[in-house]
Amino acid sequence: VYDFALDASKTLTKAAPNRIFPLSVEDIENNPLMFGIGKTKPEYVIATFNEDFTEVTITKNGADSDGLMMDWQNVLETTDFSPMRANADTLLKATICSGVTSIGTAAFYGCKNITTVNLSDTIKDIRANAFSYCQNLKSITIPSSIISIESYAFNNCKNLHIHDLKIFNSPCWTVTFSNCENIVFENMYVDNHNRIANNDGVHFSASKNIVVR
């Protein structure tokens, strides 16, 4: 089992001696707790689980990595699961570390028991259905680095508190929520050009008990 630590410069390093990042494809494939989930190359972004698959840490792997997470199909019937969705029954917490730049389509789709997600301030894009059906997700801080939150990123979520959300010059559909209940937005700031199409601050459909303050 790999033991990870973060040094003062936020660069992921391995606690074991004589081991230098980036990890190779072979390193990733030989570790049952580790999965390559990079979009450009799978090994560019790594999801590492603890032994009981209740927590996952997602990291950029190597200086050449662009930090983009791969996209998965966002339908219930698919077998194209992310590692997070494949472990939806046990996963409770996710930490996305500095250097990761996107949350892929359907990355956490159906993770019904996850309660906590920590996003780094390098995330720029939360893709469609990234957190759909995460019905026990309670709180998430959206970093000011975010440019776009795509359609239905938080579809079918309940009792969610989103705070400190700041969005600048989003291309369209700034924040959308569908089939959600008991959602609280707090300290939200949107600064978009008035000629951008579909320039809603927050767009809701088929949802109830929404508070924006």
Side-chain angles (χ1 to χ4, degrees):
V1 176
Y2 289 110
D3 184 17
F4 295 96
L6 285 171
D7 66 19
S9 65
K10 302 278 185 79
T11 302
L12 192 65
T13 57
K14 193 165 188 301
N18 303 318
R19 191 71 183 189
I20 301 174
F21 272 76
L23 289 173
S24 68
V25 174
E26 183 179 7
D27 290 329
I28 299 167
E29 291 179 347
N30 287 339
N31 189 327
L33 302 178
M34 191 177 290
F35 302 85
I37 59 170
K39 183 174 184 177
T40 304
K41 291 184 178 180
E43 66 270 22
Y44 275 4
V45 178
I46 300 174
T48 305
F49 290 82
N50 62 354
E51 291 187 355
D52 57 3
F53 286 85
T54 57
E55 298 184 17
V56 64
T57 301
I58 297 176
T59 54
K60 173 182 174 180
N61 182 38
D64 292 336
S65 170
D66 52 17
L68 293 172
M69 194 183 299
M70 68 174 60
D71 297 309
W72 293 271
Q73 295 183 36
N74 56 6
V75 293
L76 289 171
E77 296 80 10
T78 184
T79 57
D80 177 26
F81 289 166
S82 73
M84 290 72 73
R85 184 176 175 185
N87 292 283
D89 289 342
T90 58
L91 186 62
L92 303 176
K93 179 181 178 180
T95 300
I96 293 86
C97 296
S98 181
V100 179
T101 56
S102 73
I103 308 297
T105 300
F108 292 89
Y109 188 105
C111 291
K112 58 186 178 182
N113 295 315
I114 195 167
T115 60
T116 304
V117 175
N118 298 314
L119 300 179
S120 77
D121 60 4
T122 58
I123 297 292
K124 296 180 180 179
D125 184 23
I126 300 177
R127 302 297 300 276
N129 286 283
F131 296 101
S132 285
Y133 294 92
C134 293
Q135 295 182 342
N136 281 298
L137 181 60
K138 302 300 183 185
S139 180
I140 183 170
T141 300
I142 308 294
S144 59
S145 57
I146 288 290
I147 295 173
S148 175
I149 300 176
E150 293 189 1
S151 298
Y152 307 112
F154 294 95
N155 186 38
N156 274 281
C157 288
K158 297 180 180 179
N159 305 311
L160 179 62
H161 182 192
I162 296 177
H163 48 90
D164 300 323
L165 173 61
K166 297 180 181 179
I167 294 181
F168 300 89
N169 298 318
S170 177
C172 67
W173 291 109
T174 307
V175 185
T176 62
F177 286 80
S178 179
N179 299 301
C180 291
E181 296 182 24
N182 305 322
I183 308 296
V184 176
F185 286 91
E186 191 167 18
N187 194 26
M188 177 178 175
Y189 181 84
V190 178
D191 185 359
N192 278 351
H193 195 283
N194 59 9
R195 293 187 177 181
I196 296 176
N198 295 321
N199 198 6
D200 309 60
V202 185
H203 180 82
F204 299 103
S205 64
S207 297
K208 61 184 180 181
N209 298 331
I210 308 298
V211 176
V212 180
R213 63 188 181 199

